[in-house]
Amino acid sequence: MPYLVPPHIPPGRLSDSAQPTLSVADGLLLRPWRQEDAPTVVAAFSDPAIQHWHLRRADDEDEARDWIGQWQDAWYAETGAHWAVVRPGSADDRTGEVLGRVSLRTLIPEIGQAECSYWVLPAARGRGVAPRAVSALARWAFGEIGFERLELAHSVRNEASCRVAAKTGFALEGTRRHSHPHADGWHDMHLHARLRGDGASG
């Protein structure tokens, strides 16, 4: 059954080239995940605060490497785009410290829409890492790829994520009631969104 309108983002816009490394304010980088990042992924998903807002945990490095492989494959399948947030330790960022993760998931290129997600490791919290990373990701998604709408959802109890959304120009559009299960039960979720024509923030 043919579409009545052409795809907003043509097939191949992501997969025809390697996933890029993106610059972030104050010298940070977004770089694609590597298999050698597996210990960091295990550490992140062992953190109680990260576990509190997620459905899954990584029990060992083999499982983390499998996740990283899925994140890498998602780029070429054009179903997701996942980056490590890194403070480079050298010119080629091979020895850089991983501070967190930022990603686009639930990509729908046909209508130019995706959902932002992120987490920050405990040692890097309180430094504005998440807002800077989300802002860099949004600039790339709108300016380089041509997304029209980015969404950001979080539990109504997650006040830190709500602050990140506000700082990065994601307007609160409403509340999805009883929308997402967590380990302590069902949570209502705030839905934020930012459009390509919205003013930049963050």
Side-chain angles (χ1 to χ4, degrees):
M1 183 177 294
Y3 285 96
L4 294 174
V5 295
H8 189 79
I9 299 173
R13 180 67 61 85
L14 299 182
S15 61
D16 283 351
S17 58
Q19 183 178 352
T21 295
L22 307 177
S23 296
V24 182
D26 297 329
L28 303 184
L29 293 175
L30 306 184
R31 65 141 170 87
W33 287 94
R34 303 170 180 152
Q35 288 294 313
E36 56 264 37
D37 295 320
T40 299
V41 174
V42 172
F45 281 89
S46 298
D47 174 58
I50 289 177
Q51 283 190 358
H52 186 69
W53 306 117
H54 288 78
L55 289 174
R56 301 173 64 191
R57 69 180 191 221
D59 288 329
D60 55 46
E61 291 183 19
D62 286 340
E63 185 173 12
R65 280 188 285 269
D66 182 61
W67 285 13
I68 292 169
Q70 293 176 37
W71 296 341
Q72 293 168 334
D73 292 343
W75 175 265
Y76 293 101
E78 299 193 324
T79 58
H82 306 263
W83 282 268
V85 185
V86 176
R87 184 176 300 284
S90 65
D92 64 1
D93 77 87
R94 303 275 333 164
T95 60
E97 175 191 8
V98 177
L99 306 180
R101 172 182 174 229
V102 67
S103 66
L104 292 178
R105 59 186 185 182
T106 320
L107 266 65
I108 312 176
E110 294 82 4
I111 61 172
Q113 184 171 308
E115 180 183 356
C116 291
S117 63
Y118 50 86
W119 47 255
V120 175
L121 287 162
R125 290 175 192 152
R127 304 187 206 167
V129 171
R132 282 179 278 160
V134 170
S135 291
L137 178 61
R139 284 194 298 272
W140 172 84
F142 290 131
E144 298 294 326
I145 304 302
F147 280 94
E148 189 65 24
R149 174 184 171 91
L150 298 180
E151 295 186 347
L152 191 162
H154 63 81
S155 168
V156 297
R157 305 177 200 174
N158 191 341
E159 296 179 359
S161 275
C162 209
R163 290 193 295 270
V164 171
K167 289 178 180 178
T168 53
F170 283 74
L172 178 62
E173 293 190 337
T175 301
R176 296 173 175 168
R177 296 181 300 152
H178 207 64
S179 172
H180 202 73
H182 291 66
D184 59 353
W186 287 89
H187 286 212
D188 293 352
M189 302 289 286
H190 276 165
L191 174 64
H192 300 258
R194 180 172 161 181
L195 305 183
R196 184 160 48 141
D198 290 345
S201 296

